Each structure stands twice: as C-alpha cells, then as structure tokens.
Amino acid sequence: MHAILNQPIKNLAFSTTENPHTSFADFKGKIIVLYFYPKDNTPGCTIEAKDFRDLYTKFLAADAVILGVSRDSLASHEKFKTDCELPFPLISDDKEELCHYFDVIKEKNMYGKKVMGVDRSTFLIDREGVLRQEWRNVKVPGHVQEVLCRVD
C-alpha cells in the first residue's frame, strides 16, 4: 500500500537523528515537509539540505517541520547533519519502509548500470496527517522555495 494524495498517511514508526522512536503521530498538529534524497554528502543532496537549512526559520514560522529521509544510517546522518549544520532531523530508512510507502524507489542508470535508488521527492502533509502535495523527480534549484510557497 502506498501513500495516496488527499488521504491520511499511515502512522509509520521510524528513527531520526533526534529520537530513535518516532512516528508521524508525534507531529500531529504540525505541517510536515518530508523530503527524500538519495545519499548523504553527495553534491545534489548537500545543496538541497542546505537550501532547507537556509529557509528553516521561514518553515518554522509557517508551523512546519522538515524531515529529511534517506537509506543512510543514523551515524552517516549525524555526520551529514553536523557537516551541513542542519537544524532539522534526518530519518534513517535503511529497511526502505518509508521509501516503499511513498513509492520513491525507482530504477536509475548509474554509470551505465541499472540500479534501484531513491528518486528525489518531497511530500507535504497537513496538520491532520493528510498528504496534500507531492513533488517527484525533483530538480534541486528553486525546489525548496517552491515548497515554502506551498506551505505559506
């Protein structure tokens, strides 16, 4: 079963850099910006994370929380978070539960070889836990500003 636009999302449990026992219910009453990215400390992912960081206070002012998700470990996330000075939690989805629920695992072509990887995607979840917007196959330039406009 996948997340469906304009429907409540499933209350999945996950581990973040701030809390090893978290679920979507912990954010009820807040707008959630859930963004999936392929890998910590890679060029596009670093730019995207820093873009979210740079507009973080504006997201907070709109009563939104930002959650970054990749398949990297919490240890990798901690280093990435420190290196980029990220003020928001990162989710380790090493078992790909969130990735599959939000249907972001796609076939990619890496150096001529087909691999399954995370399709850069962002999801906007409202205060009641309903999926309201999705951006798939995201191109980094301008994306975070576009998400912020939709949150405001």
Side-chain angles (χ1 to χ4, degrees):
M1 169 134 199
H2 297 296
I4 300 170
L5 201 57
N6 297 315
Q7 295 293 315
I9 62 166
K10 201 158 106 178
N11 184 32
L12 298 172
F14 46 85
S15 295
T16 76
T17 49
E18 293 178 4
N19 186 343
H21 307 289
T22 310
S23 71
F24 287 119
D26 296 330
F27 300 98
K28 191 128 184 154
K30 297 268 190 196
I31 297 167
I32 301 171
V33 174
L34 185 71
Y35 82 96
F36 289 81
Y37 63 97
K39 189 154 182 59
D40 290 343
N41 292 304
T42 56
C45 299
T46 299
I47 292 167
E48 182 179 29
K50 287 180 176 180
D51 286 352
F52 274 113
R53 177 201 65 198
D54 293 347
L55 293 175
Y56 180 68
T57 56
K58 292 183 180 187
F59 281 99
L60 281 183
D63 205 29
V65 296
I66 298 169
L67 300 170
V69 186
S70 82
R71 299 180 296 180
D72 294 302
S73 68
L74 283 175
S76 175
H77 280 346
E78 289 291 356
K79 181 176 180 341
F80 185 50
K81 195 174 167 185
T82 299
D83 291 349
C84 294
E85 300 176 342
L86 304 180
F88 50 85
L90 299 177
I91 298 171
S92 174
D93 192 31
D94 56 348
K95 293 186 175 93
E96 299 181 350
E97 291 170 11
L98 293 176
C99 288
H100 286 294
Y101 180 66
F102 285 92
D103 195 27
V104 299
I105 301 291
K106 303 293 180 193
E107 187 176 87
K108 295 178 158 193
N109 190 345
M110 298 286 284
Y111 308 107
K113 190 164 92 173
K114 293 193 187 291
V115 297
M116 298 305 285
V118 173
D119 181 38
R120 190 181 311 279
S121 305
T122 302
F123 300 88
L124 185 63
I125 301 158
D126 73 12
R127 290 176 174 82
E128 302 304 315
V130 175
L131 176 60
R132 292 297 181 192
Q133 177 98 27
E134 55 184 38
W135 291 265
R136 295 187 180 271
N137 197 25
V138 166
K139 303 298 180 224
V140 174
H143 173 64
V144 174
Q145 184 64 50
E146 181 182 344
V147 173
L148 180 61
C149 288
R150 185 67 171 90
V151 168
D152 277 345

